[in-house]
Amino acid sequence: MEYISTRDKNLSFNFKDVFLRGLAPDGGLFIPKEIRTYNELEIKTLRSLSYTDLATEIISNFCIPDIKKNDLKKVIKKSYESFTTKDVIKIKKIGDINLVELYHGPTLAFKDIAMQVLGNMYDKLKVSDNKTVNIIVATSGDTGAAVASGFYGVEGVDVFILFPKDRISKVQEKQITSLSGNIYPVEVNGSFDDCQRMVKEALTDNDLRSKFNFTTANSINISRWIPQTLYYFFAYKQKIDNGKDIAVSIPSGNFGNLFSCLVAVGMGLPFQKVIASNNLNDTFTKFIESNIYKPKKSVKTISSAMDVGDPSNFIRVVEFFLNDYYRIKELISAYSFDDSETKNCIKVLSEKYNYICDPHGAVGYLGVQKHKEKNKDFNYIFLGTAHFSKFMDEIRDCIKEPISYPKKIEQLLSKDGESHQIKTYLEFKNYINSIDS
């Protein structure tokens, strides 16, 4: 597999190059030069594979020859040992809609499915020089927790996790700040977009790169969204056939998850409609409506992991369609919902279906309902991206009966947490130098 930059398609890179760099030398994002497409018979055959074998088959397309298939299978098997369900994901029926629960990993969020693979993959690819390897991550909540879990204690790696002050949940913050050793939580006085900008600056800072090996575990790194394609192959493996076209609703923020779905579709997965379900951070929704992309300052909502005003992966989405707006609009629909609609959805799902949904999953469900108003003849799927207990304050505001934290979360909240506070990129750069000097 060869990779090119979204800015300069004349240079090519292998998987190890892009895994360890994160961002292209010209500041662009890496994308595959081409994607393998499975035919209809092959796709049906994939459904009969075990989760480990299916994951190995799909991911191997992107990392051979840098990681051999047998080694990759061992990585994947190890990665999913800590999951609480043998199927990695679970599918439930919410009325006539399929809910795909992706949060049965160690940090109770969908990012675990990719991040556990990423952490274990590092051992197969780490460099042999004596430079410290720094993994830097911007998070709106779940990514940081999953990265901390996936890389905690990994020898030869320091992990810097930048999170926006007062913009992630108490549980997410404790998952990030209660670990020590090689995990360095950094609280940024700003938004997720500010955190993301600092990560990109660090990745292209030649002064830092001369001293350290740098990469990122954000979805700007191809190694993040490659394992995320598994969400859709795993869901298709379990889905009930009813003769209808498939539509999948994706709670969307930085659009790494949605791009992963597009890659899965490009590989032959028969999803006929992709729904980008957004909160009030509606940059992409307005693009779909107008063919005008206008980034804006992010707005704080109760679905905080999607509070992104300038999604990094937007460029990958348009590159996938060769910048053809009409092809984008043919496959992707986009809707945005405010906090009052999200809260009401959580309340209705609890009362009508006895299911407690986190705010992000609720936005995904609303996307299905909106699309169903004019398009009923689909087999609908929406993604449950996190366990509701990670957003307990928001849930208790919607559901009046008493709700308790799982024992695992209660124990987490009793731990002490520490972080380093910054406002500017220069402060972040100085902090990295002070840790690794």
Side-chain angles (χ1 to χ4, degrees):
M1 170 67 76
E2 289 184 279
Y3 297 87
I4 55 177
S5 168
T6 53
R7 293 185 181 178
D8 183 356
K9 298 176 177 60
N10 294 317
L11 298 177
S12 63
F13 304 82
N14 61 30
F15 178 78
K16 185 174 181 177
D17 289 333
V18 300
F19 180 94
L20 295 175
R21 284 199 65 97
L23 204 62
D26 58 10
L29 302 187
F30 290 114
I31 54 175
K33 196 168 184 178
E34 59 182 339
I35 298 172
R36 178 200 172 160
T37 301
Y38 293 89
N39 62 37
E40 185 176 351
L41 178 60
E42 289 171 326
I43 288 289
K44 289 180 178 178
T45 301
L46 290 177
R47 293 180 66 182
S48 66
L49 299 179
S50 68
Y51 284 92
T52 298
D53 288 341
L54 176 56
T56 302
E57 172 62 27
I58 297 305
I59 297 177
S60 67
N61 291 295
F62 298 94
C63 64
I64 287 177
D66 296 285
I67 300 179
K68 296 178 181 178
K69 205 165 186 177
N70 285 341
D71 290 335
L72 178 62
K73 185 173 182 178
K74 292 174 184 176
V75 163
I76 290 168
K77 186 176 181 180
K78 180 181 179 182
S79 299
Y80 296 146
E81 286 175 348
S82 61
F83 281 63
T84 59
T85 170
K86 66 179 179 63
D87 293 327
V88 185
I89 67 168
K90 285 185 177 180
I91 292 186
K92 294 182 177 179
K93 280 285 188 179
I94 304 294
D96 61 346
I97 300 170
N98 298 289
L99 163 64
V100 182
E101 291 183 344
L102 299 172
Y103 50 77
H104 294 284
T107 72
L108 305 180
F110 74 111
K111 304 287 177 70
D112 289 325
I113 294 176
M115 206 60 65
Q116 292 297 310
V117 173
L118 184 56
N120 289 315
M121 197 179 272
Y122 175 77
D123 277 339
K124 301 296 179 185
L125 294 171
K126 60 186 176 184
V127 292
S128 58
D129 61 30
N130 293 319
K131 292 181 182 178
T132 300
V133 175
N134 288 311
I135 295 176
I136 51 178
V137 177
T139 184
S140 52
D142 287 330
T143 295
V147 171
S149 172
F151 283 90
Y152 179 56
V154 175
E155 187 177 350
V157 179
D158 285 342
V159 183
F160 293 85
I161 302 172
L162 287 75
F163 64 94
K165 182 180 180 180
D166 298 328
R167 291 200 177 199
I168 65 176
S169 75
K170 290 186 294 187
V171 172
Q172 290 170 323
E173 187 167 337
K174 278 295 178 75
Q175 287 178 322
I176 295 168
T177 62
S178 61
L179 296 176
S180 56
N182 66 324
I183 306 298
Y184 297 93
V186 181
E187 183 181 72
V188 177
N189 189 4
S191 67
F192 168 78
D193 293 309
D194 295 318
C195 299
Q196 185 167 253
R197 175 179 48 78
M198 291 184 189
V199 168
K200 290 179 178 178
E201 284 189 66
L203 291 174
T204 54
D205 188 321
N206 290 329
D207 178 48
L208 285 179
R209 295 199 73 93
S210 67
K211 303 173 187 175
F212 314 113
N213 288 308
F214 267 107
T215 189
T216 180
N218 279 110
S219 58
I220 57 177
N221 191 325
I222 56 98
S223 57
R224 251 287 303 285
W225 56 255
I226 289 171
Q228 287 183 171
T229 60
L230 299 176
Y231 305 159
Y232 306 100
F233 282 96
F234 287 173
Y236 186 68
K237 173 180 169 61
Q238 282 199 36
K239 85 169 187 69
I240 300 172
D241 285 309
N242 58 9
K244 294 183 178 180
D245 287 345
I246 302 169
V248 56
S249 176
I250 304 170
S252 300
N254 210 25
F255 281 78
N257 196 354
L258 187 136
F259 180 69
S260 301
C261 182
L262 296 181
V263 172
V265 171
M267 296 179 77
L269 209 56
F271 288 4
Q272 285 74 30
K273 176 60 67 172
V274 177
I275 303 168
S277 298
N278 305 283
N279 59 24
L280 283 179
N281 294 278
D282 58 359
T283 304
F284 187 80
T285 301
K286 288 185 175 179
F287 165 74
I288 290 294
E289 293 170 350
S290 66
N291 194 19
I292 298 172
Y293 182 72
K294 188 177 181 180
K296 65 178 185 179
K297 187 175 179 62
S298 61
V299 179
K300 186 177 180 180
T301 74
I302 64 169
S303 50
S304 55
M306 306 190 313
D307 291 351
V308 184
D310 185 11
S312 285
N313 287 287
F314 173 78
I315 184 62
R316 282 188 173 126
V317 172
V318 296
E319 284 286 345
F320 180 85
F321 292 98
L322 303 178
N323 291 282
D324 187 332
Y325 169 72
Y326 296 100
R327 286 182 60 209
I328 296 172
K329 194 168 182 178
E330 182 179 3
L331 180 62
I332 304 176
S333 296
Y335 310 106
S336 293
F337 307 94
D338 62 28
D339 280 355
S340 63
E341 293 172 295
T342 305
K343 289 179 179 179
N344 184 63
C345 179
I346 293 170
K347 181 174 181 290
V348 169
L349 289 175
S350 175
E351 293 176 349
K352 188 173 182 180
Y353 299 108
N354 195 31
Y355 185 81
I356 303 177
C357 189
D358 91 289
H360 308 80
V363 171
Y365 181 82
L366 287 169
V368 168
Q369 295 300 323
K370 185 69 175 178
H371 194 263
K372 282 183 71 177
E373 290 176 4
K374 296 181 180 180
N375 306 274
K376 295 188 182 299
D377 198 29
F378 277 94
N379 185 16
Y380 282 101
I381 297 170
F382 78 103
L383 306 185
T385 56
H387 191 271
F388 70 85
S389 63
K390 299 190 76 172
F391 306 93
M392 191 65 92
D393 289 344
E394 291 81 2
I395 297 299
R396 285 173 172 165
D397 194 37
C398 304
I399 302 173
K400 300 309 177 185
E401 62 264 24
I403 307 169
S404 299
Y405 281 110
K407 187 175 180 180
K408 177 180 179 179
I409 298 298
E410 281 186 348
Q411 292 173 342
L412 173 72
L413 291 173
S414 68
K415 296 180 179 180
D416 293 329
E418 292 185 2
S419 62
H420 181 78
Q421 286 78 40
I422 65 168
K423 293 182 180 179
T424 67
Y425 172 69
L426 181 59
E427 290 176 315
F428 178 49
K429 180 175 179 177
N430 290 339
Y431 182 54
I432 292 175
N433 278 314
S434 71
I435 296 296
D436 291 326
S437 60

